[in-house]
Amino acid sequence: MGKNIVQKIFEEHKVYGELKQGTPVGLKIDQVYTQDATGTMTWLQFEVMGLNRVKVPLAVSYVDHNMIQSNYMNHDDHVFLQTVAARYGAYFSKPGNGICHQVHLERFAAPGRIALGTDSHTPTAGGIGMIAIGVGGLDAATVMAGSPFELAMPQVTFIRLTGKLNRPWVTAMDVILEILRRLTVKGGVGKIMEYGGPGVMNLNVTERATITNMGAELGATTSIFPSDERTLYYLKAQGREKDWKELCADEDAEYAEVIEIDLSSLEPLIAKPHSPDAVVPIRELSGTKMNQVCIGSCTNSSYQVMRSVSSILRGNTVAEWVSLHINPGSKQVYEMIARDSALSDMIAAGARMLESSCGPCIGMGGSPGTGHISIRSYNRNFRGRCGNKDAFVYLANPLCCAVMAIKGEIIDPGDSGIHVDEFEEPSRYLINDNMLIPPKEDYAKVNIIKGPNIKEVPIKEPLKDEIDAEVLIKLGDNVTTDDIMPAGSTILPFRSNIPAISEFVFSNIDDTFSRRAKEARTKGGGIIVGGENYGQGSSREHAAIAPMFLGFQAVIAKSFARIHRSNLINFGIIPLQFKIAEDYERVEKGDRLFIRNVCEILAGSQTYTVENRTKGYSFEAVSSLNDREREIIFRGGLLPYTKQQALK
Ligand code: MIC
Ligand code: SF4
């Protein structure tokens, strides 16, 4: 029987297990990368493991999120990350070198390899034919310490592309928006999306990377394209043809599911607030006035995007009431548009040029005003993520964004009379790696520097046999990690300080939450009740560490998003699922829930009887953990578990 691309790569990297859907498989990892907002915790945890050097062939520590530096905290984190990378043998990508996913694609990603990144958009590198998976920091730390990476073998879904994009106004962004429209934000959970078909040849690597990047919004484990002539062209242009190898599925490869997309049939699309799957054709919203446009982020900040956007802006002016922000994805892209004068056209039109960082995507500057509409070429529009929960964020392709910035309203770009130049893929990118610091020879001598905001990683006690806790919050479906642990310029600087950041858990939804959680801790702790796909979105483990610090033992939900489920387990919080979904309806905020014999049940049937002592009835919840996950929960989390393993 023929093999698909995922099977081929997994087989080459398998350390243990079977490639059978749903069963645990351990993989050898080639590359690990961190970004600063999740990286400080990752590296602090790596440090606790007591090793002398990273045990993966390539590790990179990027700085791209926390770049506002309105006080000492951000920069102290950068210094820590630079010294810790030097100490343990990792590359360091200096602030300003670019957004981790864009830089990784340019300089390190390679077909057929496997990378882990402590960021949910790590699958961007799937555009080059690599398996690239977003994970929590502690998972990355244990892999850097030499462990294989374990995951439940995902289902492989084939997305067959035919036809050609209707250029110039339809871009790769519309492909992934169309998939989100069809499958929703839960449609990819437990799956890897493998692309193929004759339409693939009509997309270049950075376009493919836009699609795999935003596959994260489907909840997919990752997404991957074949590696072909176009991949070779890109790698050559990056001076890395030696990293190329051909990779495609066998003719008779099998898939669990097949989805067909005819690229020629797509039109410009837009996702409405507050979810990336609330997708409609742009023309349906024509005439809506807006206040802000943001172009860039790890989804749409390639040289191609920037060149095309500048050609739209050339000779035009940004509308009177619109603020246009542009963040080129990397120093490479920035330097190239500066040298070929595309940057001048942006500045002349009235764009506000930002540095190569995440910026407004994560509320680090550029927050829109109250009631304002912001149109972005980014990947997420969850309420509050932009830094203002009273703003409305829409997502569209970067060329449409540029046209709308000029027109001051939502408009089908085909009706705008505006011109965009055809893009020619460069045969050579400008290569200047002077902000990418290689690992040091004399690493053992390096002193790690920690500023006063960098605090120890808290460690949980082993599992207790009884849970007697109050439901402190009851939430609906698709709760995001931005809801649980918001980002933005006030909160992000506390990513290295768990006691401080835990004050902000659920603060966009209920600003009394952390106070109530602390009160509840003295009476047995709290419990969180969620709906479907609890914890979708970011990989931030702070959405698990902070609740752990506040004394939570369990979350009961209808279902969980992959990375967040792992993060909960890694920090000793049991992810429980309602056995019968209807039981969700009966539980209310304020109810007192009681579970006895937790340890025994965890070791056995994993079906717990939950007594609702306030309402006087019981229901069942299940934990469905594999053997390793059970052991991790028993020990109080992955860190105590790993230490224990090391002692054996
Ligand atoms: C995001 O896009 O939500 C982030 C910020 O990049 C996160 C990581 C983080 O919270 O630091 C992600 O996607 O994992
Ligand atoms: Fe940065 Fe936004 Fe990409 Fe997250 S989604 S890595 S915040 S640019």
Side-chain angles (χ1 to χ4, degrees), residues 505-563:
V505 175
F506 287 119
S507 57
N508 273 344
I509 295 178
D510 172 358
D511 55 16
T512 65
F513 186 83
S514 94
R515 181 181 51 73
R516 291 190 296 110
K518 280 189 210 142
E519 284 164 15
R521 191 162 48 183
T522 56
K523 298 181 229 141
I527 222 157
I528 297 166
V529 171
E532 298 282 4
N533 199 24
Y534 179 79
Q536 69 155 330
S538 146
S539 67
R540 64 190 72 152
E541 58 191 350
H542 299 76
I545 313 181
M548 178 271 268
F549 183 79
L550 292 173
F552 286 86
Q553 305 259 23
V555 176
I556 312 183
K558 289 191 197 165
S559 66
F560 291 88
R562 174 187 64 91
I563 309 179

Short mmCIF file of all heavy atoms in Angstrom, two decimals, residues 505-563:
data_model
loop_
_atom_site.label_atom_id
_atom_site.label_comp_id
_atom_site.label_asym_id
_atom_site.label_seq_id
_atom_site.Cartn_x
_atom_site.Cartn_y
_atom_site.Cartn_z
N VAL A 505 -5.90 35.78 35.09
CA VAL A 505 -6.63 34.66 34.48
C VAL A 505 -8.10 35.06 34.26
O VAL A 505 -8.74 35.59 35.18
CB VAL A 505 -6.52 33.40 35.38
CG1 VAL A 505 -7.38 32.26 34.82
CG2 VAL A 505 -5.07 32.95 35.47
N PHE A 506 -8.60 34.85 33.08
CA PHE A 506 -9.98 35.19 32.67
C PHE A 506 -10.33 36.67 32.87
O PHE A 506 -11.51 37.02 32.93
CB PHE A 506 -11.01 34.33 33.40
CG PHE A 506 -11.06 32.90 32.93
CD1 PHE A 506 -10.78 31.85 33.79
CD2 PHE A 506 -11.38 32.60 31.61
CE1 PHE A 506 -10.82 30.52 33.35
CE2 PHE A 506 -11.43 31.27 31.16
CZ PHE A 506 -11.15 30.24 32.04
N SER A 507 -9.33 37.54 32.96
CA SER A 507 -9.64 38.93 33.31
C SER A 507 -10.46 39.67 32.26
O SER A 507 -11.16 40.63 32.58
CB SER A 507 -8.36 39.71 33.62
OG SER A 507 -7.49 39.65 32.51
N ASN A 508 -10.44 39.20 31.00
CA ASN A 508 -11.29 39.86 29.99
C ASN A 508 -12.75 39.43 30.09
O ASN A 508 -13.63 40.06 29.53
CB ASN A 508 -10.80 39.53 28.56
CG ASN A 508 -9.72 40.50 28.12
OD1 ASN A 508 -9.55 41.55 28.71
ND2 ASN A 508 -9.01 40.13 27.07
N ILE A 509 -12.98 38.32 30.82
CA ILE A 509 -14.35 37.81 30.92
C ILE A 509 -14.94 38.15 32.28
O ILE A 509 -16.11 38.51 32.41
CB ILE A 509 -14.35 36.27 30.73
CG1 ILE A 509 -13.88 35.93 29.31
CG2 ILE A 509 -15.72 35.67 31.02
CD1 ILE A 509 -13.81 34.45 29.03
N ASP A 510 -14.11 38.05 33.33
CA ASP A 510 -14.60 38.27 34.69
C ASP A 510 -13.42 38.77 35.52
O ASP A 510 -12.54 38.00 35.91
CB ASP A 510 -15.12 36.92 35.22
CG ASP A 510 -15.48 36.98 36.70
OD1 ASP A 510 -15.29 38.04 37.32
OD2 ASP A 510 -15.95 35.95 37.21
N ASP A 511 -13.42 40.07 35.82
CA ASP A 511 -12.23 40.60 36.49
C ASP A 511 -12.17 40.28 37.98
O ASP A 511 -11.23 40.64 38.67
CB ASP A 511 -12.03 42.10 36.20
CG ASP A 511 -13.25 42.93 36.55
OD1 ASP A 511 -14.11 42.40 37.28
OD2 ASP A 511 -13.33 44.08 36.09
N THR A 512 -13.18 39.54 38.49
CA THR A 512 -13.09 39.11 39.89
C THR A 512 -12.52 37.69 39.98
O THR A 512 -12.37 37.14 41.07
CB THR A 512 -14.49 39.09 40.56
OG1 THR A 512 -15.29 38.08 39.91
CG2 THR A 512 -15.20 40.45 40.44
N PHE A 513 -12.23 37.08 38.83
CA PHE A 513 -11.91 35.66 38.81
C PHE A 513 -10.73 35.28 39.70
O PHE A 513 -10.83 34.37 40.53
CB PHE A 513 -11.67 35.17 37.38
CG PHE A 513 -11.48 33.69 37.31
CD1 PHE A 513 -12.58 32.84 37.26
CD2 PHE A 513 -10.22 33.13 37.35
CE1 PHE A 513 -12.41 31.46 37.23
CE2 PHE A 513 -10.04 31.76 37.33
CZ PHE A 513 -11.14 30.93 37.26
N SER A 514 -9.61 35.99 39.54
CA SER A 514 -8.43 35.52 40.27
C SER A 514 -8.59 35.74 41.78
O SER A 514 -8.14 34.93 42.58
CB SER A 514 -7.16 36.14 39.70
OG SER A 514 -6.79 37.28 40.41
N ARG A 515 -9.31 36.81 42.16
CA ARG A 515 -9.58 37.02 43.60
C ARG A 515 -10.42 35.85 44.14
O ARG A 515 -10.12 35.25 45.16
CB ARG A 515 -10.31 38.35 43.83
CG ARG A 515 -10.60 38.64 45.30
CD ARG A 515 -11.35 39.95 45.52
NE ARG A 515 -12.55 40.15 44.74
CZ ARG A 515 -13.72 39.52 44.92
NH1 ARG A 515 -13.83 38.61 45.88
NH2 ARG A 515 -14.76 39.77 44.15
N ARG A 516 -11.47 35.47 43.38
CA ARG A 516 -12.34 34.39 43.83
C ARG A 516 -11.57 33.06 43.86
O ARG A 516 -11.78 32.23 44.73
CB ARG A 516 -13.57 34.30 42.93
CG ARG A 516 -14.51 35.51 43.12
CD ARG A 516 -15.85 35.32 42.42
NE ARG A 516 -15.73 35.24 40.98
CZ ARG A 516 -15.93 34.13 40.27
NH1 ARG A 516 -16.26 33.00 40.86
NH2 ARG A 516 -15.80 34.13 38.96
N ALA A 517 -10.67 32.89 42.89
CA ALA A 517 -9.90 31.64 42.84
C ALA A 517 -9.01 31.53 44.08
O ALA A 517 -8.87 30.45 44.67
CB ALA A 517 -9.06 31.59 41.58
N LYS A 518 -8.44 32.68 44.48
CA LYS A 518 -7.56 32.63 45.65
C LYS A 518 -8.37 32.32 46.91
O LYS A 518 -7.94 31.56 47.77
CB LYS A 518 -6.82 33.96 45.80
CG LYS A 518 -5.65 34.03 44.86
CD LYS A 518 -4.82 35.25 45.19
CE LYS A 518 -4.16 35.75 43.94
NZ LYS A 518 -4.11 37.18 43.86
N GLU A 519 -9.58 32.91 47.00
CA GLU A 519 -10.44 32.60 48.15
C GLU A 519 -10.81 31.12 48.15
O GLU A 519 -10.79 30.45 49.17
CB GLU A 519 -11.73 33.43 48.09
CG GLU A 519 -11.53 34.88 48.50
CD GLU A 519 -12.71 35.77 48.06
OE1 GLU A 519 -13.80 35.23 47.71
OE2 GLU A 519 -12.51 36.99 48.05
N ALA A 520 -11.14 30.62 46.94
CA ALA A 520 -11.57 29.22 46.83
C ALA A 520 -10.44 28.26 47.20
O ALA A 520 -10.69 27.18 47.73
CB ALA A 520 -12.04 28.94 45.41
N ARG A 521 -9.20 28.69 46.95
CA ARG A 521 -8.05 27.80 47.20
C ARG A 521 -8.01 27.35 48.66
O ARG A 521 -7.69 26.20 48.95
CB ARG A 521 -6.76 28.53 46.83
CG ARG A 521 -5.56 27.65 46.80
CD ARG A 521 -4.41 28.24 46.05
NE ARG A 521 -4.15 29.62 46.45
CZ ARG A 521 -3.22 30.37 45.88
NH1 ARG A 521 -2.50 29.89 44.91
NH2 ARG A 521 -3.03 31.61 46.29
N THR A 522 -8.40 28.24 49.56
CA THR A 522 -8.37 27.88 50.97
C THR A 522 -9.49 26.90 51.33
O THR A 522 -9.46 26.26 52.35
CB THR A 522 -8.52 29.15 51.86
OG1 THR A 522 -9.73 29.79 51.46
CG2 THR A 522 -7.35 30.09 51.72
N LYS A 523 -10.50 26.78 50.42
CA LYS A 523 -11.61 25.85 50.70
C LYS A 523 -11.61 24.67 49.75
O LYS A 523 -12.65 24.13 49.39
CB LYS A 523 -12.94 26.60 50.57
CG LYS A 523 -13.11 27.74 51.55
CD LYS A 523 -14.49 28.39 51.35
CE LYS A 523 -14.37 29.90 51.25
NZ LYS A 523 -15.25 30.50 50.27
N GLY A 524 -10.47 24.30 49.21
CA GLY A 524 -10.40 23.10 48.35
C GLY A 524 -10.14 23.41 46.89
O GLY A 524 -9.97 22.52 46.09
N GLY A 525 -10.18 24.67 46.52
CA GLY A 525 -9.85 25.03 45.13
C GLY A 525 -11.07 25.21 44.25
O GLY A 525 -12.21 25.01 44.67
N GLY A 526 -10.81 25.58 43.03
CA GLY A 526 -11.90 25.84 42.09
C GLY A 526 -11.91 24.84 40.97
O GLY A 526 -11.00 24.01 40.83
N ILE A 527 -12.96 24.91 40.17
CA ILE A 527 -13.07 24.05 39.00
C ILE A 527 -13.59 24.91 37.84
O ILE A 527 -14.36 25.85 38.06
CB ILE A 527 -13.98 22.83 39.33
CG1 ILE A 527 -13.40 21.57 38.75
CG2 ILE A 527 -15.40 23.02 38.88
CD1 ILE A 527 -13.86 20.32 39.43
N ILE A 528 -13.12 24.61 36.64
CA ILE A 528 -13.56 25.36 35.46
C ILE A 528 -14.45 24.44 34.64
O ILE A 528 -14.12 23.27 34.45
CB ILE A 528 -12.33 25.79 34.61
CG1 ILE A 528 -11.43 26.75 35.40
CG2 ILE A 528 -12.76 26.42 33.28
CD1 ILE A 528 -10.04 26.96 34.81
N VAL A 529 -15.58 24.95 34.15
CA VAL A 529 -16.44 24.16 33.28
C VAL A 529 -16.47 24.80 31.90
O VAL A 529 -16.71 26.00 31.77
CB VAL A 529 -17.87 24.03 33.86
CG1 VAL A 529 -18.82 23.39 32.85
CG2 VAL A 529 -17.85 23.21 35.15
N GLY A 530 -16.15 24.01 30.87
CA GLY A 530 -16.11 24.53 29.50
C GLY A 530 -16.95 23.69 28.55
O GLY A 530 -17.38 22.59 28.89
N GLY A 531 -17.16 24.22 27.33
CA GLY A 531 -17.93 23.50 26.31
C GLY A 531 -17.01 22.73 25.38
O GLY A 531 -16.04 22.12 25.81
N GLU A 532 -17.31 22.77 24.08
CA GLU A 532 -16.49 22.07 23.09
C GLU A 532 -15.20 22.84 22.83
O GLU A 532 -15.19 24.07 22.88
CB GLU A 532 -17.22 21.99 21.73
CG GLU A 532 -18.51 21.24 21.72
CD GLU A 532 -18.34 19.73 21.69
OE1 GLU A 532 -17.19 19.24 21.76
OE2 GLU A 532 -19.38 19.05 21.63
N ASN A 533 -14.12 22.14 22.47
CA ASN A 533 -12.88 22.73 21.97
C ASN A 533 -12.29 23.73 22.98
O ASN A 533 -11.80 24.78 22.59
CB ASN A 533 -13.18 23.41 20.62
CG ASN A 533 -11.95 23.65 19.79
OD1 ASN A 533 -10.94 22.97 19.93
ND2 ASN A 533 -12.02 24.63 18.90
N TYR A 534 -12.36 23.38 24.25
CA TYR A 534 -11.85 24.28 25.30
C TYR A 534 -10.34 24.49 25.13
O TYR A 534 -9.59 23.53 25.01
CB TYR A 534 -12.16 23.68 26.68
CG TYR A 534 -11.65 24.53 27.82
CD1 TYR A 534 -12.35 25.65 28.23
CD2 TYR A 534 -10.44 24.24 28.46
CE1 TYR A 534 -11.88 26.47 29.25
CE2 TYR A 534 -9.95 25.04 29.48
CZ TYR A 534 -10.68 26.15 29.86
OH TYR A 534 -10.20 26.96 30.87
N GLY A 535 -9.91 25.75 25.12
CA GLY A 535 -8.47 26.05 25.05
C GLY A 535 -7.94 26.13 23.64
O GLY A 535 -6.74 25.93 23.41
N GLN A 536 -8.79 26.45 22.65
CA GLN A 536 -8.28 26.56 21.27
C GLN A 536 -7.33 27.76 21.17
O GLN A 536 -7.34 28.66 22.01
CB GLN A 536 -9.45 26.73 20.29
CG GLN A 536 -10.15 28.06 20.42
CD GLN A 536 -10.87 28.51 19.13
OE1 GLN A 536 -10.45 28.19 18.02
NE2 GLN A 536 -11.94 29.27 19.29
N GLY A 537 -6.55 27.76 20.11
CA GLY A 537 -5.70 28.92 19.81
C GLY A 537 -4.27 28.69 20.21
O GLY A 537 -3.66 27.68 19.87
N SER A 538 -3.75 29.64 20.95
CA SER A 538 -2.33 29.71 21.26
C SER A 538 -1.80 28.50 22.03
O SER A 538 -2.55 27.78 22.69
CB SER A 538 -2.11 30.98 22.07
OG SER A 538 -1.11 30.82 23.02
N SER A 539 -0.47 28.34 21.97
CA SER A 539 0.18 27.25 22.70
C SER A 539 0.57 27.68 24.11
O SER A 539 1.19 26.90 24.83
CB SER A 539 1.44 26.84 21.96
OG SER A 539 2.38 27.91 22.03
N ARG A 540 0.26 28.90 24.50
CA ARG A 540 0.80 29.44 25.76
C ARG A 540 0.47 28.53 26.94
O ARG A 540 -0.69 28.30 27.28
CB ARG A 540 0.30 30.87 26.00
CG ARG A 540 -1.18 31.04 26.18
CD ARG A 540 -1.59 32.50 26.15
NE ARG A 540 -1.49 33.03 24.80
CZ ARG A 540 -2.23 34.02 24.32
NH1 ARG A 540 -3.11 34.61 25.07
NH2 ARG A 540 -2.10 34.44 23.07
N GLU A 541 1.49 28.01 27.58
CA GLU A 541 1.25 27.12 28.71
C GLU A 541 0.83 27.91 29.95
O GLU A 541 0.34 27.35 30.92
CB GLU A 541 2.45 26.22 28.98
CG GLU A 541 3.72 26.95 29.27
CD GLU A 541 4.95 26.04 29.28
OE1 GLU A 541 4.80 24.82 29.25
OE2 GLU A 541 6.07 26.57 29.31
N HIS A 542 0.97 29.24 29.87
CA HIS A 542 0.51 30.08 30.97
C HIS A 542 -0.98 29.90 31.22
O HIS A 542 -1.45 30.11 32.33
CB HIS A 542 0.81 31.55 30.66
CG HIS A 542 2.28 31.78 30.49
ND1 HIS A 542 2.95 31.41 29.36
CD2 HIS A 542 3.20 32.31 31.33
CE1 HIS A 542 4.23 31.71 29.50
NE2 HIS A 542 4.41 32.25 30.69
N ALA A 543 -1.73 29.47 30.19
CA ALA A 543 -3.16 29.22 30.36
C ALA A 543 -3.40 27.97 31.19
O ALA A 543 -4.53 27.68 31.60
CB ALA A 543 -3.83 29.10 29.00
N ALA A 544 -2.34 27.20 31.46
CA ALA A 544 -2.43 26.06 32.38
C ALA A 544 -1.63 26.32 33.66
O ALA A 544 -2.10 26.00 34.76
CB ALA A 544 -1.91 24.80 31.69
N ILE A 545 -0.45 26.93 33.54
CA ILE A 545 0.38 27.13 34.75
C ILE A 545 -0.31 28.08 35.70
O ILE A 545 -0.33 27.85 36.92
CB ILE A 545 1.78 27.74 34.45
CG1 ILE A 545 2.46 27.04 33.29
CG2 ILE A 545 2.68 27.67 35.69
CD1 ILE A 545 3.84 27.59 32.98
N ALA A 546 -0.90 29.16 35.17
CA ALA A 546 -1.51 30.15 36.07
C ALA A 546 -2.71 29.54 36.80
O ALA A 546 -2.80 29.66 38.03
CB ALA A 546 -1.87 31.41 35.31
N PRO A 547 -3.63 28.83 36.11
CA PRO A 547 -4.69 28.15 36.87
C PRO A 547 -4.13 27.13 37.87
O PRO A 547 -4.64 26.99 38.99
CB PRO A 547 -5.51 27.45 35.78
CG PRO A 547 -5.31 28.30 34.56
CD PRO A 547 -3.88 28.79 34.66
N MET A 548 -3.06 26.43 37.51
CA MET A 548 -2.44 25.50 38.46
C MET A 548 -1.97 26.27 39.70
O MET A 548 -2.23 25.88 40.83
CB MET A 548 -1.27 24.79 37.76
CG MET A 548 -0.48 23.83 38.58
SD MET A 548 0.90 24.61 39.45
CE MET A 548 2.21 24.41 38.28
N PHE A 549 -1.33 27.40 39.46
CA PHE A 549 -0.84 28.22 40.56
C PHE A 549 -2.00 28.70 41.44
O PHE A 549 -1.88 28.84 42.65
CB PHE A 549 -0.08 29.42 39.98
CG PHE A 549 0.54 30.31 41.02
CD1 PHE A 549 1.73 29.95 41.63
CD2 PHE A 549 -0.08 31.49 41.40
CE1 PHE A 549 2.30 30.75 42.60
CE2 PHE A 549 0.48 32.30 42.37
CZ PHE A 549 1.68 31.93 42.97
N LEU A 550 -3.17 28.92 40.81
CA LEU A 550 -4.34 29.36 41.57
C LEU A 550 -5.06 28.20 42.26
O LEU A 550 -6.12 28.38 42.87
CB LEU A 550 -5.32 30.10 40.65
CG LEU A 550 -4.86 31.45 40.10
CD1 LEU A 550 -5.86 31.98 39.08
CD2 LEU A 550 -4.66 32.48 41.21
N GLY A 551 -4.55 27.00 42.12
CA GLY A 551 -5.08 25.86 42.88
C GLY A 551 -6.09 25.00 42.15
O GLY A 551 -6.77 24.18 42.77
N PHE A 552 -6.20 25.13 40.81
CA PHE A 552 -7.16 24.30 40.09
C PHE A 552 -6.62 22.89 39.92
O PHE A 552 -5.46 22.69 39.59
CB PHE A 552 -7.48 24.90 38.71
CG PHE A 552 -8.35 26.11 38.81
CD1 PHE A 552 -7.80 27.36 39.02
CD2 PHE A 552 -9.73 25.98 38.75
CE1 PHE A 552 -8.60 28.47 39.16
CE2 PHE A 552 -10.54 27.09 38.89
CZ PHE A 552 -9.98 28.35 39.10
N GLN A 553 -7.50 21.89 40.16
CA GLN A 553 -7.10 20.48 40.01
C GLN A 553 -7.65 19.90 38.73
O GLN A 553 -7.11 18.94 38.20
CB GLN A 553 -7.70 19.64 41.16
CG GLN A 553 -7.37 20.12 42.52
CD GLN A 553 -6.25 19.28 43.12
OE1 GLN A 553 -5.49 18.65 42.39
NE2 GLN A 553 -6.16 19.26 44.42
N ALA A 554 -8.79 20.47 38.26
CA ALA A 554 -9.44 19.87 37.09
C ALA A 554 -10.19 20.91 36.28
O ALA A 554 -10.61 21.94 36.81
CB ALA A 554 -10.41 18.78 37.53
N VAL A 555 -10.33 20.61 34.99
CA VAL A 555 -11.25 21.36 34.13
C VAL A 555 -12.21 20.32 33.59
O VAL A 555 -11.77 19.25 33.16
CB VAL A 555 -10.50 22.01 32.94
CG1 VAL A 555 -11.47 22.72 32.00
CG2 VAL A 555 -9.43 22.99 33.42
N ILE A 556 -13.52 20.61 33.63
CA ILE A 556 -14.47 19.67 33.02
C ILE A 556 -15.04 20.36 31.79
O ILE A 556 -15.60 21.46 31.88
CB ILE A 556 -15.63 19.29 33.97
CG1 ILE A 556 -15.10 18.91 35.35
CG2 ILE A 556 -16.48 18.17 33.37
CD1 ILE A 556 -16.18 18.44 36.32
N ALA A 557 -14.88 19.72 30.62
CA ALA A 557 -15.37 20.33 29.38
C ALA A 557 -15.98 19.26 28.49
O ALA A 557 -15.86 18.07 28.75
CB ALA A 557 -14.21 21.02 28.66
N LYS A 558 -16.64 19.72 27.42
CA LYS A 558 -17.18 18.75 26.46
C LYS A 558 -16.05 18.16 25.62
O LYS A 558 -16.06 16.99 25.28
CB LYS A 558 -18.22 19.41 25.56
CG LYS A 558 -19.51 19.76 26.28
CD LYS A 558 -20.55 20.17 25.24
CE LYS A 558 -21.70 20.90 25.88
NZ LYS A 558 -22.53 21.60 24.89
N SER A 559 -15.09 19.00 25.23
CA SER A 559 -13.89 18.51 24.54
C SER A 559 -12.79 19.56 24.65
O SER A 559 -13.07 20.71 24.99
CB SER A 559 -14.18 18.20 23.07
OG SER A 559 -14.48 19.39 22.38
N PHE A 560 -11.56 19.14 24.34
CA PHE A 560 -10.40 20.03 24.52
C PHE A 560 -9.63 20.21 23.21
O PHE A 560 -9.57 19.31 22.38
CB PHE A 560 -9.42 19.42 25.53
CG PHE A 560 -9.96 19.40 26.94
CD1 PHE A 560 -10.72 18.32 27.39
CD2 PHE A 560 -9.72 20.46 27.81
CE1 PHE A 560 -11.23 18.31 28.68
CE2 PHE A 560 -10.22 20.44 29.09
CZ PHE A 560 -10.99 19.37 29.54
N ALA A 561 -8.99 21.38 23.08
CA ALA A 561 -8.07 21.59 21.97
C ALA A 561 -6.75 20.88 22.31
O ALA A 561 -6.39 20.78 23.49
CB ALA A 561 -7.83 23.07 21.75
N ARG A 562 -6.03 20.42 21.27
CA ARG A 562 -4.87 19.53 21.51
C ARG A 562 -3.79 20.13 22.40
O ARG A 562 -3.40 19.54 23.40
CB ARG A 562 -4.24 19.13 20.16
CG ARG A 562 -2.93 18.34 20.30
CD ARG A 562 -2.25 18.12 18.96
NE ARG A 562 -1.83 19.35 18.34
CZ ARG A 562 -0.62 19.91 18.51
NH1 ARG A 562 0.27 19.34 19.28
NH2 ARG A 562 -0.31 21.04 17.91
N ILE A 563 -3.27 21.32 22.03
CA ILE A 563 -2.10 21.81 22.76
C ILE A 563 -2.50 22.14 24.19
O ILE A 563 -1.76 21.85 25.14
CB ILE A 563 -1.47 23.06 22.08
CG1 ILE A 563 -1.23 22.82 20.60
CG2 ILE A 563 -0.18 23.46 22.79
CD1 ILE A 563 -0.62 24.01 19.85
#
